[in-house]
Amino acid sequence: MSKTRQRNHGVPDPVTPWDEITPGLWMGGHFWTGPSGERRPAVVTDEFDLVVSLFTRAGHGPGPRAEHVVAELPDAPLTTAQLRAVQHLAGAVSLALDLGLTTLVRCRSGYNRSGLVVAQCLVDRGLPPDRAVALVRSRRSPHALHNATFTAYLADGLDIAALLAGLEPPP
């Protein structure tokens, strides 16, 4: 299998299990493609103090030393409650950074859901949304935050996105 094996609508797997976005703030996934092109599990042991998982898979950690917060979200348009959860998680990540905790935010590939929470944390800490997205992409992958709905949430603001999502009729 080659390094360029395509998954997720033409977007390749990341080439690292996780990457540091800002000091102490890491972003990653549950899978990555190794140097010889093989798909590998990204298993967290004791590298982080806090792990926020927006997607989970048995056997991927973290180890017992880490605090583990699980809040599964789809890589799709989010409901008002899910957008509020993103805001809450971004705030918790920001607080963890203030406390000096090494933090990993992860989803399946480490591109969209984790990117949304990490970028929102950066926005909460004063970075404009476009610079937060650019930083995530430069540190994790150019494929990070390729979900246009998520980048629109960041550009418009999660409060506005949550209000608009609340206006939509239930499915």
Side-chain angles (χ1 to χ4, degrees):
M1 185 181 311
S2 78
K3 282 187 198 181
T4 58
R5 180 172 179 178
Q6 303 287 300
R7 298 186 185 271
N8 302 327
H9 310 290
V11 177
D13 281 339
V15 296
T16 56
W18 45 75
D19 295 284
E20 193 170 29
I21 308 303
T22 61
L25 176 57
W26 295 75
M27 184 173 140
H30 280 68
F31 302 98
W32 64 291
T33 299
S36 61
E38 74 283 1
R39 192 169 206 221
R40 296 180 174 182
V43 178
V44 178
T45 55
D46 293 326
E47 299 88 348
F48 304 99
D49 301 309
L50 171 64
V51 177
V52 176
S53 295
L54 307 167
F55 168 89
T56 58
R57 183 64 47 109
H60 288 253
R65 186 181 78 77
E67 180 181 348
H68 191 202
V69 175
V70 177
E72 293 199 35
L73 295 173
D75 188 359
L78 302 178
T79 65
T80 297
Q82 291 166 334
L83 288 161
R84 296 290 182 217
V86 169
Q87 290 176 305
H88 174 76
L89 292 167
V93 168
S94 186
L95 177 60
L97 294 174
D98 289 344
L99 295 172
L101 301 177
T102 303
T103 302
L104 171 66
V105 181
R106 66 182 181 167
C107 56
R108 188 175 197 290
S109 293
Y111 286 155
N112 286 317
R113 292 168 277 188
S114 57
L116 180 61
V117 171
V118 167
Q120 183 60 48
C121 174
L122 297 172
V123 168
D124 291 347
R125 294 171 80 81
L127 210 56
D130 60 331
R131 291 193 48 216
V133 170
L135 181 61
V136 165
R137 287 177 176 159
S138 73
R139 300 285 170 88
R140 176 66 176 152
S141 166
H143 302 289
L145 285 168
H146 64 268
N147 181 325
T149 301
F150 286 7
T151 56
Y153 290 156
L154 292 162
D156 295 339
L158 264 60
D159 282 331
I160 292 171
L163 288 172
L164 293 174
L167 296 175
E168 295 178 11

